[in-house]
Amino acid sequence: MSRAFLLATVLLLGACASAPPVTLQGELTYRERIALPEGAYARVALLEVGEGGNDLVSEQELRRPGQVPIAFSLTVPGEILEREREYGLRAAIYDRSGAARWVTPQTRSVNPFDPPESLVLELRRVGE
């Protein structure tokens, strides 16, 4: 085999290799000194944000999260992320009936290719 063919094969295989997964870690918190109700759960979502709205990329549901701060670790397959896109995180805490009790007031911008070591998402009580 020629050296050029081997080099081309190695480059092609490298381009086809899947990107490593990306993990976004942090915690959810809120200011009120209120215990979470029995059966509460939380969701953290990574969104692709753009002019047309927000598209869900990945989501983690945390059942029986305990009390705040609630730790999360959202792992996203690297091959579904694109460097030229913009991404953001949103989170909410729900009661057992599925009603949102606390939510992030806005989408938190995040670069999944260079994430901070830890993210703190401060949620606000619904209706305030």
Side-chain angles (χ1 to χ4, degrees):
M1 274 193 230
S2 75
R3 186 176 212 159
F5 177 76
L6 285 174
L7 180 59
T9 302
V10 168
L11 291 175
L12 180 61
L13 289 174
C16 293
S18 62
V22 172
T23 300
L24 302 170
Q25 299 181 76
E27 61 186 26
L28 310 178
T29 189
Y30 53 80
R31 290 179 187 238
E32 296 86 359
R33 292 182 177 256
I34 300 172
L36 289 177
E38 178 91 18
Y41 62 97
R43 281 195 187 128
V44 179
L46 178 66
L47 306 167
E48 181 184 318
V49 296
E51 294 175 16
N54 297 333
D55 294 324
L56 181 64
V57 175
S58 186
E59 183 176 54
Q60 178 186 27
E61 187 168 295
L62 304 157
R63 292 284 175 175
R64 292 187 218 95
Q67 299 301 320
V68 294
I70 300 168
F72 70 88
S73 182
L74 179 62
T75 300
V76 183
E79 60 269 7
I80 67 172
L81 299 171
E82 298 178 39
R83 289 194 180 276
E84 63 275 0
R85 307 282 182 180
E86 292 184 27
Y87 297 94
L89 286 172
R90 290 200 64 103
I93 299 173
Y94 301 88
D95 65 20
R96 90 169 44 154
S97 72
R101 305 301 246 169
W102 287 271
V103 298
T104 47
Q106 58 195 22
T107 302
R108 165 83 180 268
S109 181
V110 65
N111 178 356
F113 298 102
D114 186 23
E117 278 188 34
S118 184
L119 294 152
V120 176
L121 300 178
E122 189 171 310
L123 285 67
R124 299 288 157 87
R125 195 165 183 186
V126 173
E128 290 186 3

